[in-house]
Amino acid sequence: MEGVLPPKMYQPFKFRLYPFPNQERELLRQFDELRFLWNHALEQRQEAWQKEKKSLTYVSQCRDLARWRAYDKGGIGRVYGHVAQETLARLDDAFQHFFRRVKAGGRPGFPRFKREVTSLAYPDSNGSAAIVSGRNGTRRLHLAMLGDVPVKVSREPPEGRVKTCAVKREGDRWYAVLTVEVPDLAPRPSAPSENPVGVDLGLSHLAMLSTGEPVEAPKFLRASEKRLSRAQRVVSRRKKGSHRREKAKVRLARCHTKVRDQRRDFAHKVTTGWVKRHDLVAFEDLSVPSMLGNGHLSKSIADAGWGMLRQMAAYKEARRSGRYVEVPAKGTTQTCSKCGKTADPPLALKDRTYSCPCGLVLDRDLNAARNVLARALAQVPGGTGESTPAETGPPSHRKGRRVRSEKREPPRGSEVAR
Ligand SMILES: [Zn+2]
């Protein structure tokens, strides 16, 4: 096809920020303005719905915001306009999700009031957030209407437009997450895959490869995760509003950061190994809640790790002109990877081995991984270049963007970025 934009990739880069005291004060003040904005806009929507059965739109709330900003010059007026609008956009997202859940007959969680806001986002690629040079070879993160904040650039981002920038506080530390748009220059693979691999994500192993190689989370990560859930319990035990609870919260946030960092390091190591050895990596499409989902803690912990593995595998394969494929998850555990028959009776969660009348006796997860691989190879017919391009979308909170007044290309890639 002609006239199609080259595929784009979005890569997140996280940096530690070291705001000056006055910048920190201003950030905290803006968080509070945004919290107030969210709650106020939510209240307006509720009222409009209850009184007149009317749905307020993002656009109409933006118009109100503009008037309010002009009036309250020293308050919300000192927050960069699009940052404030982004809060309304997220509220709109929350309502769209809500309506979708109502329609689907699910349990509709109504958007909630916020007691605290710990991040803000610059949604534009117009230079309102950008890394600039400071004095003596230092670097600064320029944030429109906030100033140039000292930043430690640990890993140099590639040349490319900064698509979005989130500034957040985790415990007593500050971070920026830049999503950089990089042109996907890697030629699309056209040759058949030589060494493909299927990955089954599970709870007994973090992942199982179709080669029979299990991936286990390292002990130190398990230990940190335990510390994290302990810190979580301490916070919930302490009395609300108490000084001791606040202290426990800071400790909890530190645990969170530590686990996240360790998880990321580990995911980098694992995925780099995968893409070096395999020119095709296949995963199950887990965009629909998996069968395991019962809000279990072990599940939510594993989820976070899986998301990283998938996202990193996707962009690393793309960089090496490899393939990243997602296949329908339905039935991968309940199908024989040798003869293709469905298990009868179906495997229970506790069954660790798949045995089939055809003679196959195999580890349950390994069987699933082989099914994932088989489905992936069927999706890439003869490797004739009709593969799923391994595009990564921007971070997950930006899925399902509404169209805004400023023209932006639809930021959706595949389901990769969650
Ligand atoms: Zn069989």
Side-chain angles (χ1 to χ4, degrees), residues 336 338-341 356-358 360:
C336 172
K338 193 173 163 203
C339 70
K341 275 211 192 81
C356 181
C358 77
L360 175 108

Side-chain angles (χ1 to χ4, degrees), residues 188-201:
R188 293 264 74 84
S190 54
S193 298
E194 280 165 12
N195 198 2
V197 71
V199 183
D200 176 66
L201 301 169

